[in-house]
Amino acid sequence: MADLSARALQALLSVRLGDAPLSDVLQRYTDIARDNLPGADEVSVTLVRGDRPFTAAYSGQLALDADELQYERGYGPCIDAGLSGVLLRVDDMRAETRWPDYAAKVVPRGVLSSLSVPLPMQTDVVGALNCYAREAHAFSERVHGVALELAGHVGVAVANAVTYSEATQLAAELQTAMLSRATIEQAKGIIMAQNRCDADTAFDVLRRASMGRNVKL
């Protein structure tokens, strides 16, 4: 199995868990995963509390769309991986038989393969690190070790928040993330209309602007 590169490990170790909001920490881990997991075009983190799944962080529109198509149905690889604790890989969505109706919807969005890795934590919040690719057979068994290690860091961050924060505080942080996402979607719509570009390009414009101004997206 492949191992994390020294650059990836340095990036992971630079993330501070103590003071930053959980949403910021998860976004950082999501970006690191996207940049360092072979085959991944976009990455997200799904959290499930009770019966409610939620995308807590995502690197691009492709990942968010793939997640939310599963939430509409109440099942899919990212939800099932989090609930079962089993790593789930889809090599070719066009031939997928476990979630055929989901696969039929996500292929037109551009997702041909995925890897969902459960977060190693035993709390009232479970979840998965989700990796999506525009090519089939993007995730071989060789990269499972990298994905599991990345998911381990995400799991520690979530478990830390659950352990050291009141449930209401965690819920408030996730609600803030949802409200921020709604604002981001509005901004993306404006950029798409003004520049006649797609959702992914609009999201990249926002991210570059946030980094240039040194403010949170």
Side-chain angles (χ1 to χ4, degrees):
M1 288 187 179
D3 296 320
L4 277 171
S5 66
R7 181 172 65 92
L9 286 171
Q10 184 177 8
L12 288 167
L13 293 174
S14 70
V15 179
R16 298 182 179 276
L17 300 181
D19 301 326
L22 177 61
S23 58
D24 290 357
V25 172
L26 294 183
Q27 186 61 56
R28 179 65 178 137
Y29 281 147
T30 298
D31 292 339
I32 293 171
R34 188 227 13 228
D35 293 341
N36 292 279
L37 186 70
D41 288 315
E42 301 294 352
V43 175
S44 70
V45 174
T46 292
L47 297 181
V48 184
R49 187 169 196 166
D51 295 327
R52 181 186 175 214
F54 171 70
T55 298
Y58 62 100
S59 63
Q61 189 68 38
L62 184 77
L64 181 62
D65 289 347
D67 283 356
E68 293 192 336
L69 282 171
Q70 297 174 61
Y71 304 158
E72 292 173 6
R73 291 160 175 76
Y75 62 85
C78 76
I79 298 176
D80 293 355
L83 294 176
S84 68
V86 176
L87 183 149
L88 295 173
R89 190 179 78 201
V90 179
D91 291 327
D92 191 339
M93 288 288 181
R94 295 167 297 188
E96 176 56 42
T97 59
R98 291 167 293 182
W99 309 280
D101 56 337
Y102 163 67
K105 293 291 186 181
V106 81
V107 167
R109 304 293 182 98
V111 176
L112 292 186
S113 57
S114 69
L115 181 68
S116 293
V117 187
L119 305 183
M121 56 189 186
Q122 299 294 323
T123 70
D124 61 340
V125 179
V126 298
L129 178 71
N130 311 302
C131 311
Y132 298 103
R134 295 182 175 89
E135 296 183 0
H137 301 279
F139 307 107
S140 66
E141 289 188 11
R142 186 173 175 272
V143 304
H144 286 190
V146 174
L148 288 166
E149 189 166 353
L150 289 165
H153 284 272
V154 174
V156 168
V158 176
N160 183 67
V162 172
T163 301
Y164 295 104
S165 301
E166 294 292 335
T168 52
Q169 181 177 341
L170 178 59
E173 288 188 355
L174 295 181
Q175 180 65 26
T176 298
M178 290 181 66
L179 293 173
S180 297
R181 195 175 80 194
T183 303
I184 290 171
E185 292 302 315
Q186 292 176 0
K188 280 167 51 182
I190 294 171
I191 293 172
M192 290 168 66
Q194 290 179 340
N195 296 279
R196 297 183 179 179
C197 61
D198 60 20
D200 284 334
T201 301
F203 186 73
D204 287 339
V205 169
L206 284 174
R207 293 186 64 183
R208 288 196 301 271
S210 71
M211 289 187 290
R213 293 178 174 84
N214 196 28
V215 295
K216 289 168 54 177
L217 182 59

